[in-house]
Coordinates of all heavy atoms in Angstrom, one line a residue:
R1 N 99.2 81.8 159.7 CA 97.8 82.1 159.5 C 97.4 83.4 160.2 O 96.3 83.8 159.9 CB 97.0 80.9 160.0 CG 97.2 79.7 159.2 CD 96.3 78.6 159.5 NE 96.5 77.5 158.7 CZ 96.2 76.2 158.9 NH1 95.6 76.0 160.1 NH2 96.5 75.3 158.1
R2 N 98.2 83.8 161.1 CA 97.8 85.1 161.8 C 98.6 86.3 161.2 O 98.5 87.4 161.7 CB 98.0 84.9 163.3 CG 97.1 83.9 163.9 CD 97.3 83.8 165.4 NE 96.6 82.7 165.9 CZ 95.5 82.8 166.6 NH1 95.1 84.0 166.9 NH2 94.8 81.8 167.1
G3 N 99.4 86.0 160.2 CA 100.2 87.1 159.7 C 101.1 87.8 160.7 O 101.8 87.1 161.5
M4 N 101.0 89.1 160.8 CA 101.9 89.9 161.7 C 101.4 89.8 163.1 O 102.1 90.2 164.0 CB 101.9 91.3 161.2 CG 102.5 91.5 159.9 SD 104.3 91.0 159.8 CE 105.0 92.2 160.8
R5 N 100.3 89.2 163.4 CA 99.7 89.1 164.7 C 100.1 87.8 165.4 O 99.7 87.5 166.5 CB 98.2 89.2 164.8 CG 97.7 90.6 164.3 CD 96.3 90.7 164.4 NE 95.7 89.4 164.0 CZ 94.4 89.3 163.6 NH1 93.6 90.3 163.5 NH2 93.9 88.1 163.3
G6 N 100.8 86.9 164.7 CA 101.2 85.6 165.2 C 102.2 85.7 166.3 O 102.9 86.6 166.4
T7 N 102.2 84.7 167.2 CA 103.2 84.6 168.3 C 103.8 83.3 168.3 O 103.3 82.3 167.8 CB 102.6 84.8 169.7 OG1 101.5 83.9 169.9 CG2 101.9 86.3 169.8
Y8 N 105.0 83.2 168.8 CA 105.7 81.9 169.0 C 106.6 82.0 170.2 O 106.9 83.1 170.7 CB 106.5 81.6 167.7 CG 107.6 82.4 167.4 CD1 108.9 82.1 167.9 CD2 107.5 83.6 166.7 CE1 110.0 83.0 167.6 CE2 108.5 84.5 166.4 CZ 109.8 84.2 166.9 OH 110.8 85.0 166.6
T9 N 107.0 80.9 170.6 CA 107.9 80.8 171.8 C 109.2 80.0 171.4 O 109.1 79.2 170.5 CB 107.3 80.2 173.0 OG1 106.8 78.8 172.7 CG2 106.1 81.0 173.5
T10 N 110.2 80.3 172.1 CA 111.5 79.5 171.8 C 111.9 79.0 173.2 O 111.5 79.5 174.3 CB 112.5 80.4 171.2 OG1 112.8 81.5 172.1 CG2 112.1 81.0 169.9
G11 N 112.8 78.0 173.2 CA 113.3 77.4 174.4 C 112.4 76.5 175.2 O 112.7 76.2 176.3
S12 N 111.4 76.1 174.5 CA 110.4 75.2 175.2 C 111.1 73.8 175.4 O 111.8 73.3 174.6 CB 109.1 75.0 174.4 OG 108.2 74.1 175.0
T13 N 110.7 73.3 176.6 CA 111.1 71.9 176.9 C 109.9 71.2 177.6 O 109.0 71.8 178.1 CB 112.3 71.8 177.9 OG1 111.8 72.4 179.2 CG2 113.5 72.6 177.4
P14 N 109.9 69.9 177.5 CA 108.8 69.2 178.2 C 108.7 69.6 179.7 O 107.6 69.7 180.2 CB 109.1 67.7 178.0 CG 109.9 67.7 176.7 CD 110.7 69.0 176.7
G15 N 109.8 69.7 180.4 CA 109.8 70.1 181.8 C 109.2 71.5 182.0 O 108.4 71.6 183.0
L16 N 109.6 72.4 181.2 CA 109.0 73.8 181.3 C 107.5 73.8 181.0 O 106.7 74.4 181.7 CB 109.7 74.8 180.4 CG 111.1 75.2 180.9 CD1 111.7 76.1 179.7 CD2 111.0 76.0 182.1
F17 N 107.2 73.0 180.0 CA 105.7 72.9 179.6 C 105.0 72.3 180.8 O 103.9 72.8 181.1 CB 105.6 72.0 178.4 CG 104.2 71.8 177.9 CD1 103.4 72.8 177.4 CD2 103.6 70.5 178.1 CE1 102.1 72.6 177.0 CE2 102.3 70.3 177.8 CZ 101.5 71.3 177.2
E18 N 105.5 71.3 181.4 CA 104.8 70.6 182.6 C 104.6 71.6 183.7 O 103.6 71.7 184.3 CB 105.6 69.5 183.0 CG 105.0 68.8 184.3 CD 105.9 67.7 184.8 OE1 106.8 67.1 184.1 OE2 105.7 67.3 186.0
H19 N 105.7 72.4 184.0 CA 105.7 73.4 185.1 C 104.5 74.4 184.8 O 103.7 74.6 185.7 CB 107.0 74.1 185.2 CG 107.0 75.3 186.1 ND1 107.0 75.1 187.5 CD2 106.9 76.6 185.8 CE1 106.9 76.4 188.0 NE2 106.9 77.2 187.0
Y20 N 104.5 75.0 183.6 CA 103.5 76.0 183.4 C 102.1 75.5 183.2 O 101.1 76.1 183.6 CB 103.9 76.8 182.1 CG 105.1 77.7 182.5 CD1 106.4 77.5 181.9 CD2 104.9 78.8 183.4 CE1 107.5 78.3 182.2 CE2 106.0 79.6 183.7 CZ 107.2 79.4 183.1 OH 108.3 80.2 183.4
L21 N 102.0 74.3 182.7 CA 100.7 73.6 182.7 C 100.2 73.3 184.1 O 99.0 73.6 184.3 CB 100.7 72.3 181.8 CG 99.4 71.6 181.7 CD1 98.3 72.5 181.0 CD2 99.6 70.4 180.8
A22 N 101.0 72.9 185.0 CA 100.6 72.7 186.3 C 100.1 73.9 187.0 O 99.2 73.9 187.7 CB 101.8 72.0 187.1
E23 N 100.8 75.0 186.7 CA 100.4 76.4 187.2 C 99.0 76.7 186.7 O 98.2 77.2 187.4 CB 101.4 77.4 186.9 CG 102.7 77.3 187.6 CD 102.5 77.5 189.1 OE1 101.8 78.5 189.5 OE2 103.0 76.7 189.9
A24 N 98.8 76.5 185.4 CA 97.5 76.7 184.8 C 96.4 75.9 185.4 O 95.3 76.4 185.7 CB 97.5 76.5 183.3
Y25 N 96.7 74.6 185.7 CA 95.8 73.7 186.4 C 95.4 74.3 187.8 O 94.3 74.4 188.2 CB 96.4 72.4 186.6 CG 96.1 71.4 185.5 CD1 97.2 70.6 185.1 CD2 94.9 71.2 184.9 CE1 97.1 69.7 184.0 CE2 94.8 70.3 183.8 CZ 95.8 69.5 183.4 OH 95.7 68.6 182.4
R26 N 96.5 74.7 188.6 CA 96.3 75.2 189.9 C 95.3 76.4 189.8 O 94.4 76.6 190.6 CB 97.6 75.6 190.6 CG 98.3 74.5 191.3 CD 99.4 75.0 192.1 NE 100.5 74.0 192.2 CZ 101.4 73.7 191.3 NH1 101.5 74.4 190.2 NH2 102.2 72.8 191.5
K27 N 95.7 77.4 189.0 CA 94.9 78.6 188.9 C 93.4 78.3 188.5 O 92.5 78.9 189.0 CB 95.5 79.6 187.9 CG 96.7 80.2 188.4 CD 97.3 81.1 187.3 CE 98.6 81.7 187.9 NZ 99.2 82.6 186.9
S28 N 93.3 77.3 187.6 CA 91.9 77.0 187.1 C 91.1 76.4 188.3 O 89.9 76.8 188.5 CB 92.0 75.9 186.0 OG 90.7 75.6 185.6
I29 N 91.7 75.5 189.1 CA 91.1 74.9 190.2 C 90.7 76.0 191.3 O 89.6 76.0 191.8 CB 91.9 73.8 190.8 CG1 92.0 72.6 189.8 CG2 91.4 73.3 192.2 CD1 93.0 71.6 190.2
E30 N 91.7 76.9 191.6 CA 91.4 77.9 192.5 C 90.3 78.8 192.1 O 89.6 79.3 193.0 CB 92.7 78.8 192.7 CG 93.8 78.2 193.4 CD 95.1 78.9 193.4 OE1 95.1 80.1 192.8 OE2 96.1 78.4 193.8
E31 N 90.0 79.0 190.8 CA 88.9 79.8 190.3 C 87.7 79.0 190.2 O 86.6 79.5 189.7 CB 89.3 80.4 189.0 CG 90.5 81.4 189.2 CD 90.9 82.1 187.9 OE1 90.3 81.8 186.9 OE2 91.9 82.8 187.9
G32 N 87.7 77.7 190.6 CA 86.5 76.9 190.6 C 86.2 76.3 189.2 O 85.1 75.8 189.0
N33 N 87.1 76.2 188.4 CA 86.9 75.6 187.1 C 87.4 74.1 187.1 O 88.2 73.8 187.9 CB 87.8 76.3 186.0 CG 87.3 77.7 185.9 OD1 86.2 78.1 185.8 ND2 88.3 78.6 185.9
Q34 N 86.8 73.3 186.2 CA 87.1 71.9 186.2 C 88.1 71.6 185.0 O 88.6 70.5 184.9 CB 85.9 71.1 186.0 CG 85.0 71.2 187.1 CD 83.7 70.4 186.9 OE1 83.7 69.5 186.1 NE2 82.6 70.7 187.6
Y35 N 88.3 72.5 184.1 CA 89.0 72.2 182.9 C 90.1 73.2 182.6 O 90.0 74.4 182.9 CB 88.1 72.2 181.6 CG 86.9 71.3 181.8 CD1 85.7 71.7 182.2 CD2 87.1 69.9 181.6 CE1 84.6 70.8 182.3 CE2 86.0 69.0 181.7 CZ 84.8 69.4 182.1 OH 83.8 68.6 182.2
V36 N 91.1 72.8 181.8 CA 92.1 73.6 181.2 C 92.1 73.2 179.8 O 92.3 72.0 179.4 CB 93.5 73.5 181.8 CG1 94.6 74.2 181.0 CG2 93.5 74.0 183.3
F37 N 92.0 74.2 178.9 CA 92.0 73.8 177.4 C 93.3 74.1 176.9 O 93.9 75.2 177.2 CB 90.9 74.7 176.7 CG 89.5 74.2 177.0 CD1 88.9 74.9 178.0 CD2 88.9 73.2 176.3 CE1 87.5 74.5 178.4 CE2 87.6 72.8 176.6 CZ 86.9 73.5 177.6
I38 N 93.8 73.2 176.1 CA 95.2 73.3 175.4 C 94.9 73.4 173.9 O 94.3 72.5 173.3 CB 96.0 72.1 175.7 CG1 96.2 72.0 177.2 CG2 97.4 72.3 175.0 CD1 97.0 70.7 177.6
N39 N 95.4 74.5 173.4 CA 95.3 74.6 171.9 C 96.5 73.9 171.4 O 97.6 74.3 171.6 CB 95.3 76.1 171.5 CG 95.1 76.3 170.0 OD1 94.7 75.3 169.3 ND2 95.3 77.4 169.5
A40 N 96.3 72.8 170.7 CA 97.4 71.9 170.2 C 98.4 72.7 169.5 O 98.2 73.6 168.8 CB 96.8 70.8 169.4
W41 N 99.7 72.1 169.6 CA 100.8 72.8 168.9 C 101.0 72.3 167.5 O 101.8 72.8 166.8 CB 102.0 72.5 169.7 CG 102.2 71.1 170.1 CD1 102.7 70.1 169.4 CD2 101.9 70.5 171.4 NE1 102.8 68.9 170.1 CE2 102.3 69.1 171.3 CE3 101.4 71.0 172.6 CZ2 102.1 68.3 172.4 CZ3 101.2 70.2 173.6 CH2 101.5 68.8 173.5
N42 N 100.2 71.4 167.0 CA 100.2 71.0 165.6 C 99.4 71.9 164.8 O 98.8 72.9 165.3 CB 99.9 69.5 165.4 CG 98.4 69.3 165.6 OD1 97.8 70.0 166.4 ND2 97.9 68.4 164.8
E43 N 99.2 71.7 163.6 CA 98.3 72.5 162.7 C 96.9 72.5 163.2 O 96.2 71.5 163.2 CB 98.3 71.9 161.3 CG 99.6 72.2 160.6 CD 99.8 73.6 160.2 OE1 98.8 74.3 159.9 OE2 101.0 74.1 160.2
W44 N 96.5 73.7 163.7 CA 95.2 73.7 164.3 C 94.1 73.4 163.3 O 93.0 73.0 163.7 CB 94.9 75.1 165.0 CG 95.0 76.3 164.1 CD1 96.1 77.0 163.8 CD2 94.0 76.8 163.3 NE1 95.8 78.0 162.9 CE2 94.5 77.9 162.6 CE3 92.6 76.5 163.2 CZ2 93.7 78.7 161.8 CZ3 91.9 77.3 162.3 CH2 92.4 78.4 161.6
G45 N 94.3 73.7 162.1 CA 93.3 73.5 161.0 C 93.1 72.0 160.7 O 92.2 71.6 160.0
E46 N 94.0 71.2 161.3 CA 93.9 69.7 161.0 C 93.4 68.9 162.2 O 93.4 67.7 162.2 CB 95.3 69.2 160.7 CG 95.9 69.8 159.4 CD 97.3 69.4 159.2 OE1 97.9 68.6 159.9 OE2 97.9 69.9 158.2
G47 N 92.8 69.6 163.2 CA 92.1 68.8 164.2 C 92.5 69.1 165.6 O 91.9 68.6 166.6
N48 N 93.6 69.9 165.8 CA 94.0 70.1 167.2 C 94.3 68.9 168.1 O 93.9 68.8 169.2 CB 93.0 71.0 167.9 CG 93.2 72.5 167.7 OD1 94.4 72.9 167.3 ND2 92.2 73.3 167.9
Y49 N 95.0 68.0 167.5 CA 95.4 66.8 168.3 C 96.7 67.0 169.0 O 97.6 67.6 168.4 CB 95.6 65.6 167.3 CG 94.3 65.1 166.7 CD1 94.0 65.4 165.4 CD2 93.4 64.4 167.4 CE1 92.9 65.0 164.8 CE2 92.2 64.0 166.9 CZ 92.0 64.3 165.6 OH 90.8 63.9 165.0
L50 N 96.8 66.6 170.2 CA 98.1 66.5 170.9 C 98.7 65.3 170.5 O 98.2 64.2 170.7 CB 97.9 66.6 172.4 CG 97.2 67.8 173.0 CD1 97.0 67.7 174.5 CD2 98.0 69.1 172.6
E51 N 99.9 65.3 169.9 CA 100.5 64.1 169.4 C 102.0 64.2 169.6 O 102.6 65.2 169.7 CB 100.2 63.9 167.9 CG 100.5 65.0 167.0 CD 99.9 64.9 165.6 OE1 99.0 64.0 165.4 OE2 100.2 65.7 164.8
P52 N 102.7 63.0 169.5 CA 104.1 63.0 169.7 C 104.8 63.6 168.5 O 104.2 63.8 167.5 CB 104.5 61.5 169.8 CG 103.3 60.7 169.3 CD 102.1 61.7 169.4
D53 N 106.0 64.1 168.7 CA 106.8 64.6 167.6 C 108.1 63.9 167.4 O 108.5 63.1 168.3 CB 106.9 66.1 167.7 CG 107.8 66.5 168.9 OD1 108.9 65.9 169.2 OD2 107.3 67.4 169.7
E54 N 108.8 64.2 166.4 CA 110.0 63.4 166.1 C 111.2 63.8 167.0 O 112.0 63.0 167.4 CB 110.5 63.7 164.6 CG 109.6 63.1 163.6 CD 110.1 63.4 162.2 OE1 111.2 64.0 162.0 OE2 109.3 63.0 161.3
K55 N 111.2 65.1 167.5 CA 112.3 65.5 168.4 C 112.1 65.0 169.8 O 113.0 64.5 170.4 CB 112.3 67.0 168.4 CG 113.4 67.5 169.3 CD 113.5 69.1 169.3 CE 114.5 69.6 170.3 NZ 114.5 71.0 170.3
N56 N 110.9 65.1 170.4 CA 110.6 64.8 171.8 C 109.9 63.6 172.0 O 109.6 63.2 173.2 CB 109.9 66.0 172.5 CG 110.8 67.2 172.5 OD1 111.9 67.2 173.2 ND2 110.5 68.2 171.7
G57 N 109.4 62.9 171.0 CA 108.6 61.7 171.2 C 107.3 62.0 172.0 O 106.6 62.9 171.7
M58 N 107.2 61.2 173.0 CA 106.0 61.4 173.9 C 106.2 62.3 175.1 O 105.3 62.4 175.9 CB 105.6 59.9 174.4 CG 105.2 58.9 173.4 SD 103.6 59.2 172.7 CE 102.5 58.8 174.1
A59 N 107.3 63.0 175.2 CA 107.6 63.7 176.3 C 106.6 64.8 176.7 O 106.3 65.0 177.9 CB 109.0 64.3 176.2
Y60 N 106.1 65.5 175.7 CA 105.1 66.6 176.0 C 103.8 66.0 176.4 O 103.2 66.5 177.3 CB 104.9 67.5 174.8 CG 106.0 68.6 174.7 CD1 107.1 68.4 173.9 CD2 105.8 69.8 175.4 CE1 108.1 69.4 173.8 CE2 106.8 70.8 175.3 CZ 107.9 70.6 174.5 OH 108.9 71.5 174.4
L61 N 103.4 64.9 175.8 CA 102.2 64.2 176.3 C 102.4 63.7 177.7 O 101.4 63.7 178.5 CB 101.8 63.1 175.3 CG 101.5 63.5 173.9 CD1 101.4 62.3 173.0 CD2 100.2 64.3 173.9
E62 N 103.5 63.1 178.0 CA 103.8 62.7 179.4 C 103.8 63.8 180.4 O 103.3 63.7 181.5 CB 105.1 61.9 179.4 CG 105.1 60.6 178.7 CD 106.4 60.0 178.4 OE1 107.4 60.7 178.7 OE2 106.4 58.9 177.9
A63 N 104.2 65.0 179.9 CA 104.2 66.2 180.8 C 102.8 66.6 181.1 O 102.5 67.0 182.2 CB 104.9 67.4 180.1
V64 N 101.9 66.5 180.2 CA 100.4 66.8 180.4 C 99.9 65.9 181.5 O 99.3 66.3 182.5 CB 99.6 66.6 179.1 CG1 98.1 66.7 179.5 CG2 100.0 67.6 178.1
N65 N 100.2 64.6 181.4 CA 99.8 63.6 182.4 C 100.4 63.9 183.8 O 99.7 63.9 184.8 CB 100.1 62.2 181.9 CG 99.5 61.1 182.8 OD1 98.4 61.3 183.3 ND2 100.2 60.0 183.0
K66 N 101.7 64.2 183.8 CA 102.4 64.5 185.1 C 101.8 65.7 185.7 O 101.6 65.8 187.0 CB 103.9 64.6 184.8 CG 104.6 63.4 184.5 CD 106.1 63.7 184.3 CE 106.9 62.5 183.8 NZ 108.3 62.9 183.5
A67 N 101.6 66.8 184.9 CA 101.0 68.0 185.5 C 99.7 67.8 186.1 O 99.4 68.2 187.2 CB 100.9 69.1 184.4
K68 N 98.8 67.0 185.4 CA 97.5 66.7 186.0 C 97.6 65.8 187.2 O 96.9 66.1 188.2 CB 96.7 65.9 184.9 CG 95.3 65.5 185.4 CD 94.6 64.8 184.3 CE 93.2 64.3 184.8 NZ 93.3 63.0 185.4
R69 N 98.4 64.8 187.2 CA 98.6 63.9 188.4 C 99.1 64.7 189.6 O 98.7 64.5 190.7 CB 99.5 62.8 188.1 CG 98.8 61.7 187.2 CD 99.6 60.4 187.2 NE 101.1 60.6 187.4 CZ 102.1 60.3 186.6 NH1 101.8 59.7 185.4 NH2 103.3 60.5 186.9
G70 N 100.1 65.6 189.3 CA 100.6 66.4 190.4 C 99.6 67.3 191.1 O 99.7 67.4 192.3
I71 N 98.7 67.8 190.4 CA 97.7 68.7 190.9 C 96.6 67.8 191.7 O 96.2 68.2 192.8 CB 96.9 69.5 189.8 CG1 97.9 70.4 189.2 CG2 95.7 70.2 190.4 CD1 98.6 71.4 190.1
H72 N 96.3 66.7 191.2 CA 95.3 65.9 191.8 C 95.8 64.8 192.8 O 95.1 64.0 193.3 CB 94.4 65.2 190.7 CG 93.6 66.2 189.9 ND1 92.5 66.9 190.4 CD2 93.8 66.6 188.6 CE1 92.1 67.7 189.5 NE2 92.8 67.5 188.4
G73 N 97.1 64.8 193.0 CA 97.7 63.9 193.9 C 97.6 62.4 193.5 O 97.6 61.5 194.4
E74 N 97.6 62.2 192.2 CA 97.4 60.8 191.7 C 98.8 60.1 191.6 O 99.8 60.7 191.4 CB 96.7 60.8 190.4 CG 95.3 61.4 190.5 CD 94.6 61.6 189.2 OE1 95.2 61.1 188.1 OE2 93.6 62.2 189.2

């Protein structure tokens, strides 16, 4: 949908995603923000839902929860 301006990443894993999301949470908190927005990895035109996939199941969703709990000490 972005033509030649599109970007993509390779080599993603739930563990790496959790690590970088936790870093984003930390930076957001340090800057006095309460939220981190995630642009869903599925078709953005279909609602931007974070949902399980066939390859990793719930692992990325669990990574979101772990990153949040790690920052808030839960």
Side-chain angles (χ1 to χ4, degrees):
R1 293 188 179 158
R2 295 180 187 252
M4 297 300 289
R5 298 181 323 198
T7 58
Y8 66 93
T9 58
T10 60
S12 177
T13 66
L16 285 172
F17 178 71
E18 178 185 339
H19 170 77
Y20 288 111
L21 182 57
E23 287 298 312
Y25 273 136
R26 272 191 211 81
K27 287 180 183 179
S28 183
I29 291 167
E30 287 172 4
E31 293 177 7
N33 299 312
Q34 297 179 21
Y35 303 100
V36 170
F37 291 91
I38 301 171
N39 187 13
W41 48 81
N42 72 327
E43 287 290 327
W44 63 268
E46 296 175 5
N48 273 337
Y49 294 102
L50 299 177
E51 55 191 10
D53 62 49
E54 290 181 6
K55 179 180 176 185
N56 296 292
M58 297 287 290
Y60 278 93
L61 295 170
E62 291 166 355
V64 171
N65 191 34
K66 288 178 187 176
K68 178 180 175 276
R69 284 192 335 239
I71 295 303
H72 295 289
E74 297 172 10

